Amino acid sequence: MSKRRSLITLAAILATSILNSATHAEQKRPNVVLIVADDLGWKDLSVQGSTFYESPNLDRLANSGARFTNGYASCQVCSPSRASLMTGQSPVRLGITDWIGAPEEDEWKRNTAMLPPTYKHELPHERTTIAEAMKEAGYATFFAGKWHLGDRESDWPEHHGFDINKGGFDRGGPPGGYFSPYQNPRLEDGPDGEYLPLRLGRETAQFIEENADQPFFATLCFYSVHGPAQTTEALWSKYRDKAEKQPQPTHRMGAEARNPIRIVQDNPIYGGMIEAMDQAVGIVMEALEKNGLSENTIVVFTSDNGGVASGDHWATSALPLRGGKGYQWEGGIRVPYFISWPGNIPAGSVSDLPAIGMDVYPTILDLAGLPARPKEHRDGISLAPALKGEKTPARPLYWHYPHYGNQGGDPVSIIREGQWKLLFFHETENSQLYRLDEDPGERSDLSAMYPEHAQQLERKLLAWLDEMEAKMPFPNKNFDEERFQQAQKRIPGPAKERQEKAAAQILDENWKPNPSWWGSQP
């Protein structure tokens, strides 16, 4: 062999070696699965303390990595939280401060002291979403489930970095209900009676199997457990029997400021919805295991806001936390928050570090070894140091919701710093102060006892609102105080009694929603 030919051969071998090394490195890049539940409360899983709902797959996921006991959504309602997850930015900075489709300004017809301001109705296209960042890094991207981040077709997942979209469009709930036919322009109907969460789990599993040989970013955003409250007869029967065997409450409803509120977890429809969603998570985890991807896949799980304790079938209770979806209390914003990566995040880790939805974007980039994008995820931080047991600098968390929640929440701005939480109510321009480690139910307002600390936090909160150029609610010239007070008197009486009867009715052994169980029996 000539010297020249030998050099060419050696160069070819070296080039092949380098290519193989690069390919090997590419294959070792971790996959990412982001799973987001809709309206799942902080205590709606057994690993989170529920003794009624069953969630074995999510329990295993939580215990396989780190569970943040102070995990938060970025807002007490869905669209703002989902926008924050996609961008790493505060809903206030994005201008999406209420669920998209909620009435604003003079469109608001309820008798309230203030009117809600306008808000943006779509995710800004100039923002680089987490999906776009992952796609630029060579990841295949996939979305399944609820989007609710734009009214126009040009605002849907495929226009924000997702290669594949199964079921994401403008609606916040499944328009055809939870059983096929779905009436969803981005999801083909399955067999009559197919259950939506299981279908979404199978779609995600199929994507994983088809992309097992390349890095992928799969986002599964369940419509579950948002209304309408629908499950199968078998699951209803299981949880109905379970409710009958546990100690019977004297009442299932209490009263919040504007609405009755559920204080007991024994809704058999909701129990069935949680179990079905959990089964779907199991389908996804099984696909990872089957394809040998479990140890090379980061899985993040959270919810977009607290559970529905008022309205939407009065589905669940957040106790010992106060309130639920739409409320300013911890039950409205504190949510399950898990991050798993076997072999990299110690199994069984539990952190009390406050973590929020906007942290997901920078954390995923950091764990995946991708460059940070500080101009994008500017309101979140990477939780990777905390996952390694390193100390994370303290920071305040902020929320701003200048609207009225359908469930009973008020126009409010919030700051949490350490164990202190201050609520600034825009109707009265007064603040309430709570210490969460001693009073997680937010029953004892400490603002009079610690006036200087309350004033300090209020100044910091108002300065943040000014910096963010936050829109504010404004007085309603048509507000009828007398009619409002009359309505308030009905909350602990007739309104509460109606919900008591409805909650008891679905536990009756002869109860049926309709002849076909919402279409689950074709």
Side-chain angles (χ1 to χ4, degrees), residues 80-97:
S81 288
R82 291 166 182 272
S84 184
L85 284 166
M86 288 294 106
T87 63
Q89 295 189 14
S90 164
V92 187
R93 189 184 300 280
L94 293 167
I96 304 174
T97 52

Side-chain angles (χ1 to χ4, degrees), residues 103 135 154 200 247 251 338 357 372 378 392 417 476:
K135 188 172 181 177
S154 59
L200 296 177
H251 52 274
F338 314 145
R378 57 196 299 182
T392 302
E417 189 168 55
N476 179 4

Side-chain angles (χ1 to χ4, degrees), residues 11 31 42 76 147 168 184 190 205 218 259 262 288 294 306 322 355 364 372 405 435 443 477 510:
N31 308 301
W42 179 77
Q76 49 267 59
W147 180 247
N184 186 320
N259 254 334
R262 179 177 269 271
L288 293 174
S294 295
R322 185 176 177 183
I364 287 174
R435 188 171 173 92
R443 300 295 176 182
K477 64 180 184 297
N510 297 313

Side-chain angles (χ1 to χ4, degrees), residues 40 157 217 271 294 296 302 390 420 451 468 477 481 486 508 516:
L40 185 76
F217 173 64
S294 295
N296 196 39
T302 191
E390 300 172 8
W420 294 99
M468 301 294 282
K477 64 180 184 297
E481 176 70 31
Q486 289 297 322
D508 186 285
S516 65

